[in-house]
Amino acid sequence: MSDTSDGPVPDRHTAFRRLHHGERPLLLPNAWDHASAAALVRRGFPAIGTTSLGVAAAAGLPDATGAARDGTLALARAIARLPALVTVDIEGGFGERPEEVAAVAAELDRAGVVGVNIEDGRPDGTLAPLARQCAVIEAVKERVPRLFVNARTDTHWLAAIGGGTPPSLATTAERIEAYVGAGADGIFVPALTDEQDIGALADDLGETPLNILFTPGRHTYERLAELGVRRISCGSLLFRAALDRAVELAWSIAHPDAPAHPDRAADLPGYAEARSLADDFTNDVTGADPT
């Protein structure tokens, strides 16, 4: 650590934490491969994340099953060399036992990654037992204390992708409180869109940063900032937008007289559609380890 006229230069982990407590929320764009990561860094983003859906789908693998474990770790090791702070989505942790998840976190830390995102949703549409998820967070923080653990609860996400009714905010708050108690550095609640609920959770969390998944048509950066959100993730949005733009450009070349879409953001492929792309390669991954 060297001194400058502005004071000591913070280490990478401290710098990443500070981005969650600045005057404006941290906008975290999510990469899915080497090129997308490099392009985002060249554009000037100080921190980038990965998108589990993008990494998995780009490799013809299903999301949230652990099938993309090796690809995710390989990508993380590569993009951690870029001049940016990198946090990695490790789905449910890429391991059944807490110590296995902690080992993955330690490997990423050695590669230069400063944070991980760990979710409690399971491929069968259920939530991990609360005690088990707390044990995972505790194991990671004990093994790698400096790593920023963004604890994601899928209480609202599972309802959103399954077409069900979102649970009460109290259900989400119970998990959030437990995860913070277990040592989580930040809390992520994807598919939470109600402004009153977002504001209430941000207030309850106090100094613990609340992370919200940006939803086009429902959110604006400025409004989320006003509600107290400290981190805004793009999730798979950029990956889905890239797919859409590429396909539409190719189609427009072959069909130049086809009418243009006035609002492409409203027509982006959704999570389920993007995830289903891996179905075309099912025969290639039937032997994949689901953990």
Side-chain angles (χ1 to χ4, degrees), residues 20-65:
H20 294 76
H21 298 282
E23 294 183 0
R24 293 168 63 78
L26 166 63
L27 178 64
L28 190 73
N30 300 82
W32 59 93
D33 62 9
H34 298 68
S36 58
L40 289 168
V41 173
R42 284 189 180 185
R43 190 66 175 89
F45 288 98
I48 60 173
T50 62
T51 160
S52 67
L53 172 64
V55 173
L61 299 171
D63 181 32
T65 65

mmCIF file of all heavy atoms in Angstrom, residues 20-65:
data_model
loop_
_atom_site.group_PDB
_atom_site.id
_atom_site.type_symbol
_atom_site.label_atom_id
_atom_site.label_comp_id
_atom_site.label_asym_id
_atom_site.label_seq_id
_atom_site.Cartn_x
_atom_site.Cartn_y
_atom_site.Cartn_z
ATOM 1 N N HIS A 20 -19.601 0.313 -2.319
ATOM 2 C CA HIS A 20 -20.960 0.092 -1.818
ATOM 3 C C HIS A 20 -21.415 1.199 -0.859
ATOM 4 O O HIS A 20 -22.557 1.167 -0.386
ATOM 5 C CB HIS A 20 -21.051 -1.247 -1.090
ATOM 6 C CG HIS A 20 -20.858 -2.442 -1.973
ATOM 7 N ND1 HIS A 20 -19.620 -2.832 -2.423
ATOM 8 C CD2 HIS A 20 -21.751 -3.323 -2.484
ATOM 9 C CE1 HIS A 20 -19.750 -3.914 -3.183
ATOM 10 N NE2 HIS A 20 -21.025 -4.232 -3.234
ATOM 11 N N HIS A 21 -20.536 2.132 -0.580
ATOM 12 C CA HIS A 21 -20.855 3.178 0.391
ATOM 13 C C HIS A 21 -20.509 4.567 -0.137
ATOM 14 O O HIS A 21 -20.236 5.482 0.640
ATOM 15 C CB HIS A 21 -20.112 2.921 1.706
ATOM 16 C CG HIS A 21 -20.493 1.628 2.362
ATOM 17 N ND1 HIS A 21 -21.661 1.469 3.081
ATOM 18 C CD2 HIS A 21 -19.867 0.429 2.387
ATOM 19 C CE1 HIS A 21 -21.740 0.227 3.538
ATOM 20 N NE2 HIS A 21 -20.673 -0.427 3.125
ATOM 21 N N GLY A 22 -20.534 4.704 -1.463
ATOM 22 C CA GLY A 22 -20.259 6.002 -2.058
ATOM 23 C C GLY A 22 -21.505 6.868 -2.107
ATOM 24 O O GLY A 22 -22.574 6.511 -1.593
ATOM 25 N N GLU A 23 -21.366 8.015 -2.733
ATOM 26 C CA GLU A 23 -22.498 8.931 -2.860
ATOM 27 C C GLU A 23 -23.577 8.361 -3.771
ATOM 28 O O GLU A 23 -24.754 8.696 -3.632
ATOM 29 C CB GLU A 23 -22.019 10.281 -3.396
ATOM 30 C CG GLU A 23 -21.103 11.035 -2.443
ATOM 31 C CD GLU A 23 -20.713 12.393 -2.979
ATOM 32 O OE1 GLU A 23 -21.167 12.738 -4.108
ATOM 33 O OE2 GLU A 23 -19.972 13.111 -2.299
ATOM 34 N N ARG A 24 -23.180 7.523 -4.710
ATOM 35 C CA ARG A 24 -24.129 6.909 -5.638
ATOM 36 C C ARG A 24 -23.980 5.397 -5.585
ATOM 37 O O ARG A 24 -22.903 4.874 -5.275
ATOM 38 C CB ARG A 24 -23.876 7.423 -7.062
ATOM 39 C CG ARG A 24 -24.198 8.902 -7.228
ATOM 40 C CD ARG A 24 -23.681 9.456 -8.542
ATOM 41 N NE ARG A 24 -24.294 8.832 -9.707
ATOM 42 C CZ ARG A 24 -25.517 9.136 -10.152
ATOM 43 N NH1 ARG A 24 -26.249 10.034 -9.524
ATOM 44 N NH2 ARG A 24 -25.991 8.552 -11.232
ATOM 45 N N PRO A 25 -25.039 4.667 -5.886
ATOM 46 C CA PRO A 25 -24.957 3.206 -5.841
ATOM 47 C C PRO A 25 -23.944 2.659 -6.842
ATOM 48 O O PRO A 25 -23.682 3.261 -7.883
ATOM 49 C CB PRO A 25 -26.384 2.765 -6.216
ATOM 50 C CG PRO A 25 -27.247 3.943 -5.956
ATOM 51 C CD PRO A 25 -26.399 5.140 -6.229
ATOM 52 N N LEU A 26 -23.403 1.503 -6.515
ATOM 53 C CA LEU A 26 -22.527 0.786 -7.433
ATOM 54 C C LEU A 26 -23.387 0.113 -8.493
ATOM 55 O O LEU A 26 -24.238 -0.714 -8.181
ATOM 56 C CB LEU A 26 -21.729 -0.280 -6.669
ATOM 57 C CG LEU A 26 -21.007 -1.338 -7.520
ATOM 58 C CD1 LEU A 26 -19.949 -0.681 -8.409
ATOM 59 C CD2 LEU A 26 -20.388 -2.412 -6.634
ATOM 60 N N LEU A 27 -23.178 0.498 -9.747
ATOM 61 C CA LEU A 27 -23.838 -0.194 -10.854
ATOM 62 C C LEU A 27 -22.902 -1.301 -11.302
ATOM 63 O O LEU A 27 -21.791 -1.038 -11.769
ATOM 64 C CB LEU A 27 -24.131 0.745 -12.018
ATOM 65 C CG LEU A 27 -24.777 0.059 -13.236
ATOM 66 C CD1 LEU A 27 -26.159 -0.482 -12.873
ATOM 67 C CD2 LEU A 27 -24.870 0.994 -14.431
ATOM 68 N N LEU A 28 -23.354 -2.532 -11.142
ATOM 69 C CA LEU A 28 -22.511 -3.681 -11.437
ATOM 70 C C LEU A 28 -22.963 -4.351 -12.727
ATOM 71 O O LEU A 28 -23.981 -5.050 -12.753
ATOM 72 C CB LEU A 28 -22.566 -4.683 -10.284
ATOM 73 C CG LEU A 28 -21.551 -5.816 -10.348
ATOM 74 C CD1 LEU A 28 -20.140 -5.293 -10.036
ATOM 75 C CD2 LEU A 28 -21.923 -6.914 -9.358
ATOM 76 N N PRO A 29 -22.215 -4.160 -13.827
ATOM 77 C CA PRO A 29 -22.536 -4.878 -15.057
ATOM 78 C C PRO A 29 -21.993 -6.301 -14.969
ATOM 79 O O PRO A 29 -20.945 -6.536 -14.362
ATOM 80 C CB PRO A 29 -21.806 -4.063 -16.130
ATOM 81 C CG PRO A 29 -20.609 -3.509 -15.418
ATOM 82 C CD PRO A 29 -21.052 -3.263 -13.991
ATOM 83 N N ASN A 30 -22.691 -7.246 -15.576
ATOM 84 C CA ASN A 30 -22.319 -8.655 -15.441
ATOM 85 C C ASN A 30 -21.858 -9.225 -16.773
ATOM 86 O O ASN A 30 -22.600 -9.208 -17.763
ATOM 87 C CB ASN A 30 -23.497 -9.458 -14.903
ATOM 88 C CG ASN A 30 -23.937 -8.961 -13.534
ATOM 89 O OD1 ASN A 30 -24.674 -7.992 -13.445
ATOM 90 N ND2 ASN A 30 -23.476 -9.607 -12.497
ATOM 91 N N ALA A 31 -20.647 -9.763 -16.782
ATOM 92 C CA ALA A 31 -20.045 -10.341 -17.991
ATOM 93 C C ALA A 31 -20.317 -11.835 -18.054
ATOM 94 O O ALA A 31 -20.607 -12.482 -17.046
ATOM 95 C CB ALA A 31 -18.544 -10.078 -17.991
ATOM 96 N N TRP A 32 -20.196 -12.387 -19.252
ATOM 97 C CA TRP A 32 -20.418 -13.824 -19.443
ATOM 98 C C TRP A 32 -19.245 -14.522 -20.127
ATOM 99 O O TRP A 32 -19.219 -15.736 -20.217
ATOM 100 C CB TRP A 32 -21.697 -14.075 -20.225
ATOM 101 C CG TRP A 32 -21.707 -13.447 -21.589
ATOM 102 C CD1 TRP A 32 -21.323 -14.030 -22.777
ATOM 103 C CD2 TRP A 32 -22.106 -12.113 -21.915
ATOM 104 N NE1 TRP A 32 -21.466 -13.141 -23.814
ATOM 105 C CE2 TRP A 32 -21.954 -11.949 -23.316
ATOM 106 C CE3 TRP A 32 -22.593 -11.030 -21.176
ATOM 107 C CZ2 TRP A 32 -22.247 -10.760 -23.971
ATOM 108 C CZ3 TRP A 32 -22.887 -9.848 -21.818
ATOM 109 C CH2 TRP A 32 -22.718 -9.722 -23.202
ATOM 110 N N ASP A 33 -18.282 -13.755 -20.609
ATOM 111 C CA ASP A 33 -17.096 -14.342 -21.219
ATOM 112 C C ASP A 33 -15.952 -13.337 -21.164
ATOM 113 O O ASP A 33 -16.103 -12.235 -20.628
ATOM 114 C CB ASP A 33 -17.364 -14.807 -22.655
ATOM 115 C CG ASP A 33 -17.767 -13.674 -23.593
ATOM 116 O OD1 ASP A 33 -17.688 -12.485 -23.193
ATOM 117 O OD2 ASP A 33 -18.171 -13.960 -24.742
ATOM 118 N N HIS A 34 -14.818 -13.733 -21.713
ATOM 119 C CA HIS A 34 -13.643 -12.876 -21.662
ATOM 120 C C HIS A 34 -13.879 -11.535 -22.360
ATOM 121 O O HIS A 34 -13.515 -10.474 -21.844
ATOM 122 C CB HIS A 34 -12.444 -13.579 -22.319
ATOM 123 C CG HIS A 34 -12.032 -14.836 -21.646
ATOM 124 N ND1 HIS A 34 -12.800 -15.975 -21.645
ATOM 125 C CD2 HIS A 34 -10.904 -15.152 -20.957
ATOM 126 C CE1 HIS A 34 -12.176 -16.934 -20.980
ATOM 127 N NE2 HIS A 34 -11.027 -16.465 -20.558
ATOM 128 N N ALA A 35 -14.463 -11.586 -23.559
ATOM 129 C CA ALA A 35 -14.628 -10.373 -24.358
ATOM 130 C C ALA A 35 -15.589 -9.387 -23.700
ATOM 131 O O ALA A 35 -15.325 -8.179 -23.676
ATOM 132 C CB ALA A 35 -15.117 -10.738 -25.760
ATOM 133 N N SER A 36 -16.710 -9.890 -23.192
ATOM 134 C CA SER A 36 -17.664 -8.979 -22.560
ATOM 135 C C SER A 36 -17.052 -8.339 -21.320
ATOM 136 O O SER A 36 -17.275 -7.153 -21.044
ATOM 137 C CB SER A 36 -18.960 -9.716 -22.207
ATOM 138 O OG SER A 36 -18.732 -10.814 -21.344
ATOM 139 N N ALA A 37 -16.260 -9.099 -20.558
ATOM 140 C CA ALA A 37 -15.603 -8.541 -19.381
ATOM 141 C C ALA A 37 -14.611 -7.452 -19.781
ATOM 142 O O ALA A 37 -14.596 -6.358 -19.202
ATOM 143 C CB ALA A 37 -14.892 -9.652 -18.605
ATOM 144 N N ALA A 38 -13.784 -7.748 -20.776
ATOM 145 C CA ALA A 38 -12.783 -6.779 -21.215
ATOM 146 C C ALA A 38 -13.435 -5.519 -21.766
ATOM 147 O O ALA A 38 -12.966 -4.401 -21.519
ATOM 148 C CB ALA A 38 -11.873 -7.411 -22.265
ATOM 149 N N ALA A 39 -14.533 -5.680 -22.509
ATOM 150 C CA ALA A 39 -15.221 -4.525 -23.085
ATOM 151 C C ALA A 39 -15.802 -3.629 -21.994
ATOM 152 O O ALA A 39 -15.738 -2.395 -22.087
ATOM 153 C CB ALA A 39 -16.323 -4.995 -24.029
ATOM 154 N N LEU A 40 -16.362 -4.234 -20.954
ATOM 155 C CA LEU A 40 -16.931 -3.452 -19.858
ATOM 156 C C LEU A 40 -15.843 -2.702 -19.102
ATOM 157 O O LEU A 40 -16.019 -1.540 -18.715
ATOM 158 C CB LEU A 40 -17.698 -4.373 -18.910
ATOM 159 C CG LEU A 40 -19.008 -4.929 -19.457
ATOM 160 C CD1 LEU A 40 -19.531 -6.059 -18.572
ATOM 161 C CD2 LEU A 40 -20.070 -3.826 -19.579
ATOM 162 N N VAL A 41 -14.706 -3.355 -18.910
ATOM 163 C CA VAL A 41 -13.601 -2.696 -18.211
ATOM 164 C C VAL A 41 -13.047 -1.553 -19.057
ATOM 165 O O VAL A 41 -12.759 -0.469 -18.545
ATOM 166 C CB VAL A 41 -12.498 -3.716 -17.875
ATOM 167 C CG1 VAL A 41 -11.270 -3.011 -17.294
ATOM 168 C CG2 VAL A 41 -13.018 -4.748 -16.879
ATOM 169 N N ARG A 42 -12.914 -1.778 -20.357
ATOM 170 C CA ARG A 42 -12.431 -0.708 -21.237
ATOM 171 C C ARG A 42 -13.361 0.503 -21.227
ATOM 172 O O ARG A 42 -12.910 1.636 -21.379
ATOM 173 C CB ARG A 42 -12.293 -1.226 -22.668
ATOM 174 C CG ARG A 42 -11.084 -2.094 -22.916
ATOM 175 C CD ARG A 42 -10.913 -2.363 -24.404
ATOM 176 N NE ARG A 42 -9.746 -3.206 -24.671
ATOM 177 C CZ ARG A 42 -9.335 -3.506 -25.890
ATOM 178 N NH1 ARG A 42 -9.980 -3.027 -26.956
ATOM 179 N NH2 ARG A 42 -8.274 -4.280 -26.063
ATOM 180 N N ARG A 43 -14.630 0.237 -21.018
ATOM 181 C CA ARG A 43 -15.607 1.341 -20.993
ATOM 182 C C ARG A 43 -15.490 2.169 -19.727
ATOM 183 O O ARG A 43 -15.977 3.291 -19.668
ATOM 184 C CB ARG A 43 -17.031 0.776 -21.120
ATOM 185 C CG ARG A 43 -18.107 1.823 -21.352
ATOM 186 C CD ARG A 43 -17.929 2.480 -22.708
ATOM 187 N NE ARG A 43 -18.995 3.414 -23.027
ATOM 188 C CZ ARG A 43 -18.994 4.711 -22.701
ATOM 189 N NH1 ARG A 43 -17.968 5.211 -22.035
ATOM 190 N NH2 ARG A 43 -20.006 5.494 -23.036
ATOM 191 N N GLY A 44 -14.814 1.616 -18.722
ATOM 192 C CA GLY A 44 -14.554 2.404 -17.521
ATOM 193 C C GLY A 44 -15.241 1.951 -16.255
ATOM 194 O O GLY A 44 -15.167 2.646 -15.237
ATOM 195 N N PHE A 45 -15.900 0.803 -16.272
ATOM 196 C CA PHE A 45 -16.542 0.327 -15.054
ATOM 197 C C PHE A 45 -15.473 -0.147 -14.071
ATOM 198 O O PHE A 45 -14.630 -0.975 -14.414
ATOM 199 C CB PHE A 45 -17.511 -0.828 -15.377
ATOM 200 C CG PHE A 45 -18.749 -0.382 -16.088
ATOM 201 C CD1 PHE A 45 -18.847 -0.483 -17.466
ATOM 202 C CD2 PHE A 45 -19.815 0.159 -15.382
ATOM 203 C CE1 PHE A 45 -19.986 -0.058 -18.139
ATOM 204 C CE2 PHE A 45 -20.957 0.589 -16.036
ATOM 205 C CZ PHE A 45 -21.047 0.482 -17.423
ATOM 206 N N PRO A 46 -15.496 0.361 -12.841
ATOM 207 C CA PRO A 46 -14.456 -0.005 -11.873
ATOM 208 C C PRO A 46 -14.618 -1.407 -11.310
ATOM 209 O O PRO A 46 -13.666 -1.989 -10.793
ATOM 210 C CB PRO A 46 -14.632 1.042 -10.770
ATOM 211 C CG PRO A 46 -16.091 1.382 -10.823
ATOM 212 C CD PRO A 46 -16.446 1.348 -12.283
ATOM 213 N N ALA A 47 -15.835 -1.945 -11.399
ATOM 214 C CA ALA A 47 -16.100 -3.288 -10.887
ATOM 215 C C ALA A 47 -17.060 -3.989 -11.842
ATOM 216 O O ALA A 47 -17.955 -3.364 -12.414
ATOM 217 C CB ALA A 47 -16.700 -3.231 -9.489
ATOM 218 N N ILE A 48 -16.859 -5.292 -12.007
ATOM 219 C CA ILE A 48 -17.758 -6.086 -12.840
ATOM 220 C C ILE A 48 -18.069 -7.400 -12.126
ATOM 221 O O ILE A 48 -17.293 -7.859 -11.285
ATOM 222 C CB ILE A 48 -17.166 -6.388 -14.233
ATOM 223 C CG1 ILE A 48 -15.851 -7.168 -14.112
ATOM 224 C CG2 ILE A 48 -16.961 -5.104 -15.031
ATOM 225 C CD1 ILE A 48 -15.298 -7.650 -15.444
ATOM 226 N N GLY A 49 -19.209 -7.964 -12.457
ATOM 227 C CA GLY A 49 -19.569 -9.272 -11.938
ATOM 228 C C GLY A 49 -19.714 -10.250 -13.081
ATOM 229 O O GLY A 49 -19.514 -9.904 -14.245
ATOM 230 N N THR A 50 -20.052 -11.476 -12.755
ATOM 231 C CA THR A 50 -20.385 -12.454 -13.786
ATOM 232 C C THR A 50 -21.862 -12.804 -13.647
ATOM 233 O O THR A 50 -22.461 -12.625 -12.592
ATOM 234 C CB THR A 50 -19.543 -13.742 -13.654
ATOM 235 O OG1 THR A 50 -19.814 -14.370 -12.391
ATOM 236 C CG2 THR A 50 -18.068 -13.431 -13.762
ATOM 237 N N THR A 51 -22.452 -13.288 -14.725
ATOM 238 C CA THR A 51 -23.834 -13.731 -14.709
ATOM 239 C C THR A 51 -23.855 -15.239 -14.880
ATOM 240 O O THR A 51 -23.341 -15.765 -15.869
ATOM 241 C CB THR A 51 -24.669 -13.077 -15.831
ATOM 242 O OG1 THR A 51 -25.855 -13.862 -16.072
ATOM 243 C CG2 THR A 51 -23.911 -12.954 -17.138
ATOM 244 N N SER A 52 -24.430 -15.943 -13.920
ATOM 245 C CA SER A 52 -24.431 -17.407 -14.007
ATOM 246 C C SER A 52 -25.218 -17.886 -15.221
ATOM 247 O O SER A 52 -24.830 -18.852 -15.879
ATOM 248 C CB SER A 52 -24.992 -18.024 -12.724
ATOM 249 O OG SER A 52 -26.362 -17.734 -12.556
ATOM 250 N N LEU A 53 -26.329 -17.220 -15.529
ATOM 251 C CA LEU A 53 -27.096 -17.616 -16.707
ATOM 252 C C LEU A 53 -26.270 -17.435 -17.969
ATOM 253 O O LEU A 53 -26.221 -18.319 -18.830
ATOM 254 C CB LEU A 53 -28.382 -16.796 -16.815
ATOM 255 C CG LEU A 53 -29.167 -17.005 -18.119
ATOM 256 C CD1 LEU A 53 -29.658 -18.440 -18.237
ATOM 257 C CD2 LEU A 53 -30.323 -16.031 -18.231
ATOM 258 N N GLY A 54 -25.612 -16.286 -18.100
ATOM 259 C CA GLY A 54 -24.817 -16.027 -19.289
ATOM 260 C C GLY A 54 -23.673 -16.999 -19.455
ATOM 261 O O GLY A 54 -23.426 -17.521 -20.548
ATOM 262 N N VAL A 55 -22.944 -17.257 -18.373
ATOM 263 C CA VAL A 55 -21.816 -18.185 -18.440
ATOM 264 C C VAL A 55 -22.302 -19.577 -18.813
ATOM 265 O O VAL A 55 -21.715 -20.248 -19.669
ATOM 266 C CB VAL A 55 -21.064 -18.215 -17.091
ATOM 267 C CG1 VAL A 55 -19.996 -19.303 -17.105
ATOM 268 C CG2 VAL A 55 -20.439 -16.853 -16.798
ATOM 269 N N ALA A 56 -23.395 -20.018 -18.183
ATOM 270 C CA ALA A 56 -23.900 -21.361 -18.453
ATOM 271 C C ALA A 56 -24.467 -21.474 -19.860
ATOM 272 O O ALA A 56 -24.126 -22.387 -20.617
ATOM 273 C CB ALA A 56 -24.969 -21.733 -17.417
ATOM 274 N N ALA A 57 -25.352 -20.549 -20.230
ATOM 275 C CA ALA A 57 -26.009 -20.629 -21.532
ATOM 276 C C ALA A 57 -25.012 -20.497 -22.675
ATOM 277 O O ALA A 57 -25.149 -21.161 -23.710
ATOM 278 C CB ALA A 57 -27.082 -19.550 -21.642
ATOM 279 N N ALA A 58 -23.999 -19.656 -22.502
ATOM 280 C CA ALA A 58 -22.992 -19.492 -23.548
ATOM 281 C C ALA A 58 -22.215 -20.786 -23.783
ATOM 282 O O ALA A 58 -21.669 -21.008 -24.869
ATOM 283 C CB ALA A 58 -22.031 -18.362 -23.182
ATOM 284 N N ALA A 59 -22.185 -21.656 -22.771
ATOM 285 C CA ALA A 59 -21.494 -22.935 -22.890
ATOM 286 C C ALA A 59 -22.461 -24.079 -23.172
ATOM 287 O O ALA A 59 -22.055 -25.248 -23.195
ATOM 288 C CB ALA A 59 -20.717 -23.233 -21.613
ATOM 289 N N GLY A 60 -23.744 -23.760 -23.384
ATOM 290 C CA GLY A 60 -24.730 -24.798 -23.650
ATOM 291 C C GLY A 60 -25.093 -25.603 -22.417
ATOM 292 O O GLY A 60 -25.483 -26.774 -22.518
ATOM 293 N N LEU A 61 -24.984 -24.977 -21.246
ATOM 294 C CA LEU A 61 -25.252 -25.664 -19.988
ATOM 295 C C LEU A 61 -26.427 -25.025 -19.260
ATOM 296 O O LEU A 61 -26.705 -23.835 -19.436
ATOM 297 C CB LEU A 61 -24.007 -25.605 -19.087
ATOM 298 C CG LEU A 61 -22.736 -26.257 -19.638
ATOM 299 C CD1 LEU A 61 -21.544 -25.924 -18.749
ATOM 300 C CD2 LEU A 61 -22.928 -27.765 -19.742
ATOM 301 N N PRO A 62 -27.129 -25.781 -18.418
ATOM 302 C CA PRO A 62 -28.240 -25.220 -17.653
ATOM 303 C C PRO A 62 -27.744 -24.349 -16.516
ATOM 304 O O PRO A 62 -26.698 -24.630 -15.907
ATOM 305 C CB PRO A 62 -28.974 -26.468 -17.130
ATOM 306 C CG PRO A 62 -27.900 -27.507 -17.039
ATOM 307 C CD PRO A 62 -26.988 -27.250 -18.205
ATOM 308 N N ASP A 63 -28.481 -23.306 -16.221
ATOM 309 C CA ASP A 63 -28.127 -22.388 -15.145
ATOM 310 C C ASP A 63 -28.562 -22.955 -13.796
ATOM 311 O O ASP A 63 -29.495 -23.758 -13.698
ATOM 312 C CB ASP A 63 -28.814 -21.040 -15.384
ATOM 313 C CG ASP A 63 -28.488 -20.004 -14.325
ATOM 314 O OD1 ASP A 63 -27.354 -20.045 -13.795
ATOM 315 O OD2 ASP A 63 -29.358 -19.166 -14.024
ATOM 316 N N ALA A 64 -27.870 -22.531 -12.753
ATOM 317 C CA ALA A 64 -28.255 -22.795 -11.362
ATOM 318 C C ALA A 64 -28.213 -24.260 -10.964
ATOM 319 O O ALA A 64 -28.816 -24.650 -9.973
ATOM 320 C CB ALA A 64 -29.645 -22.222 -11.077
ATOM 321 N N THR A 65 -27.511 -25.099 -11.719
ATOM 322 C CA THR A 65 -27.411 -26.517 -11.390
ATOM 323 C C THR A 65 -26.003 -26.921 -10.981
ATOM 324 O O THR A 65 -25.783 -28.062 -10.593
ATOM 325 C CB THR A 65 -27.829 -27.383 -12.585
ATOM 326 O OG1 THR A 65 -26.886 -27.184 -13.656
ATOM 327 C CG2 THR A 65 -29.231 -27.044 -13.062
#
